[in-house]
Amino acid sequence: MNRKNLIAIACVFTVMLMTGAAFAAVPLYQLFCQVTGFDGTVKRAEVAPDKVLDETVLIRFDTNVRGLPMTFRAEQVSQRVRIGETGIAFFNVTNTSDRPIHATAAYNVVPERAGPYFQKLQCFCFEGQVIAPGQTMKFPVQYFVAPEIATDRESRGVREITLSYTFYPTKGAQDAANPAPATGAAA
């Protein structure tokens, strides 16, 4: 094989590799953030810690809706929990439209340095929700702040954490808002 063919093959391979990397970037970044807590992303946990400290932290709850006819509120604006203690918060979502809503809640925590230590045992985020017209749903979030936050140099002074959720439309939302015209003859 001559040099020109090798260069052409290398260029085609590089373009294919870069295209694949572009498509994989978003899911890989999300996975990285969930595993490391980077950028305020909350980690999932299987079990609560055995150790509960006497120190407390104030957890604030922030709710937002992006482009949906619904109300979304936390039942409590904040909770004070001991570090390592399991807390539970409830959120209410009401569909104020006359059509089903397909939505998913995205989340993060502030300050970002608390992300690796704020961990959820149960959450309504991660999964798409379908909320019927006029329906109100109650969603729980079970969480804890890992005891390691008290010894980490960068996050040791954190005494307030804001958990923020935003509901946004997902697959099916546009279909519900713009139903396809009926086909066939009317009876």
Side-chain angles (χ1 to χ4, degrees):
M1 197 177 291
N2 67 26
R3 184 168 168 80
K4 288 182 183 180
N5 288 343
L6 285 174
I7 291 172
I9 290 172
C11 288
V12 168
F13 179 74
T14 301
V15 167
M16 289 174 32
L17 182 66
M18 296 299 277
T19 302
F23 281 104
V26 171
L28 289 174
Y29 180 74
Q30 288 174 336
L31 179 64
F32 171 77
C33 289
Q34 284 184 349
V35 168
T36 64
F38 181 74
D39 200 23
T41 302
V42 177
K43 295 167 90 176
R44 287 192 212 183
E46 297 297 320
V47 296
D50 296 332
K51 184 177 173 183
V52 176
L53 305 179
D54 288 331
E55 297 176 59
T56 64
V57 63
L58 182 68
I59 309 298
R60 295 185 188 279
F61 304 107
D62 175 54
T63 57
N64 305 283
V65 176
R66 181 164 294 156
L68 292 168
M70 64 191 297
T71 60
F72 177 38
R73 301 210 188 321
E75 287 187 357
Q76 291 181 283
V77 176
S78 63
Q79 294 177 345
R80 184 163 295 280
V81 295
R82 290 172 42 201
I83 295 174
E85 174 183 38
T86 300
I88 188 163
F90 292 94
F91 295 82
N92 295 313
V93 177
T94 301
N95 178 346
T96 58
S97 76
D98 60 353
R99 298 181 189 263
I101 291 177
H102 297 256
T104 300
Y107 60 88
N108 71 333
V109 298
V110 175
E112 290 179 7
R113 65 183 189 257
Y117 304 105
F118 191 96
Q119 299 183 21
K120 293 190 272 186
L121 296 164
Q122 176 187 3
C123 183
F124 59 92
C125 42
F126 314 128
E127 301 162 6
Q129 307 294 333
V130 179
I131 306 158
Q135 180 183 23
T136 297
M137 297 178 77
K138 185 178 201 172
F139 295 112
V141 174
Q142 191 174 21
Y143 67 91
F144 64 88
V145 178
E148 293 80 13
I149 196 169
T151 57
D152 182 330
R153 245 180 8 165
E154 290 185 29
S155 59
R156 190 176 18 225
V158 172
R159 293 293 170 250
E160 289 187 12
I161 298 173
T162 300
L163 175 62
S164 181
Y165 284 102
T166 301
F167 258 110
Y168 61 92
T170 55
K171 185 175 167 63
Q174 287 73 26
D175 298 340
N178 304 310
T183 57

